[in-house]
């Protein structure tokens, strides 16, 4: 993330602070008398937000999740799964992935995007299996174990997570 920041203070601006990226420069607009300390905190938040956005864009570009999910659907689910969408999320939550059973939308943590592909595959298969079994029932694990590296991947994630949950 580029750290160049330009702050534009304006008397016309009453309360809100806004930020946008222009060619790698973070342009911040703030009210004239907005306290600097509070503004610094907001700017830190902007930087984080834009860094996450950039990371997500990079991951989406280099790893086509939908393509991978389609291949896994064919290989492990007989092409029977109807997946609405699958995408990376960079929000700081404690899950590696989550699947909305009702909407068939899967979200994968950006942290998984930086792990080995065989681990990534496991997380995607795990979430895809939730399209059939919403909970972690025995039937669910039977499906997941079609992937031969499932156990190894769970071990990997456990070691990597240090308290992070495997996901919903
Ligand atoms: Zn799960």
């Amino acid at each position: 993330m580029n750290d160049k920041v330009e702050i534009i203070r304006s008397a016309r601006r009453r309360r809100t602070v806004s930020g946008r990226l222009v060619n790698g420069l973070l342009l911040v607009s703030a009210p004239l008398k907005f306290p600097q300390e509070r503004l610094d905190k907001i700017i830190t938040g902007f930087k984080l937000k834009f860094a996450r956005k950039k990371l997500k864009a990079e991951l989406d570009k280099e790893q086509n999740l939908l393509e991978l999910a389609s291949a896994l659907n064919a290989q492990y689910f007989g092409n029977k799964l109807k997946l609405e969408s699958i995408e990376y999320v960079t929000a700081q939550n404690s899950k590696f992935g989550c699947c909305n059973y009702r909407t068939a939308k899967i979200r994968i943590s950006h942290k998984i995007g930086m792990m080995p592909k065989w681990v990534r595959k496991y997380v995607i298969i795990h979430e895809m299996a939730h399209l059939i079994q919403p909970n972690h029932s025995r039937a669910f694990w039977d499906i997941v174990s079609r992937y031969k590296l499932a156990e190894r991947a769970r071990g990997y994630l456990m070691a990597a997570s240090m308290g992070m949950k495997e996901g919903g």
Side-chain angles (χ1 to χ4, degrees):
M1 177 69 194
N2 203 316
D3 280 327
K4 274 187 283 182
V5 180
E6 194 178 308
I7 299 167
I8 303 159
R9 287 184 180 270
S10 161
R12 279 181 301 140
R13 214 166 242 278
R14 293 280 172 224
R15 284 198 300 270
T16 57
V17 175
S18 72
R20 63 198 170 99
L21 270 186
V22 181
N23 299 325
L25 177 75
L26 178 56
L27 221 53
V28 177
S29 303
L32 200 57
K33 290 177 178 170
F34 201 85
Q36 186 63 43
E37 200 177 315
R38 271 179 69 200
L39 190 58
D40 287 342
K41 272 186 193 153
I42 293 174
I43 289 172
T44 302
F46 282 155
K47 284 181 182 173
L48 200 65
K49 191 180 104 183
F50 286 122
R52 284 180 185 161
K53 225 171 148 180
K54 192 175 162 222
L55 177 66
K56 178 178 157 58
E58 280 168 3
L59 282 172
D60 284 340
K61 196 176 160 193
E62 82 185 36
Q63 299 169 15
N64 192 329
L65 279 184
L66 196 59
E67 208 172 270
L68 182 53
S70 299
L72 295 172
N73 193 6
Q75 196 176 352
Y76 296 96
F77 301 94
N79 253 334
K80 288 197 178 77
L81 295 185
K82 297 268 181 285
L83 181 63
E84 180 61 31
S85 68
I86 179 166
E87 62 173 347
Y88 278 114
V89 284
T90 52
Q92 293 289 358
N93 61 35
S94 60
K95 286 179 172 181
F96 285 130
C98 68
C99 172
N100 188 318
Y101 179 73
R102 197 174 44 81
T103 60
K105 288 179 178 176
I106 290 175
R107 300 172 130 212
I108 303 292
S109 164
H110 70 282
K111 294 181 181 107
I112 296 300
M114 289 174 272
M115 288 181 186
K117 193 174 180 184
W118 61 273
V119 177
R120 189 150 63 241
K121 273 170 134 180
Y122 162 74
V123 174
I124 295 170
I125 289 168
H126 179 117
E127 299 307 332
M128 288 174 85
H130 278 314
L131 293 172
I132 308 169
Q133 294 285 333
N135 44 40
H136 294 136
S137 61
R138 194 189 179 110
F140 170 83
W141 291 114
D142 281 348
I143 297 166
V144 170
S145 66
R146 290 174 195 165
Y147 182 52
K148 292 286 172 272
L149 297 172
E151 275 309 306
R152 265 184 71 192
R154 290 186 74 196
Y156 182 100
L157 290 171
M158 245 174 254
S161 68
M162 308 275 280
M164 258 176 93
K165 288 194 188 103
E166 191 169 336

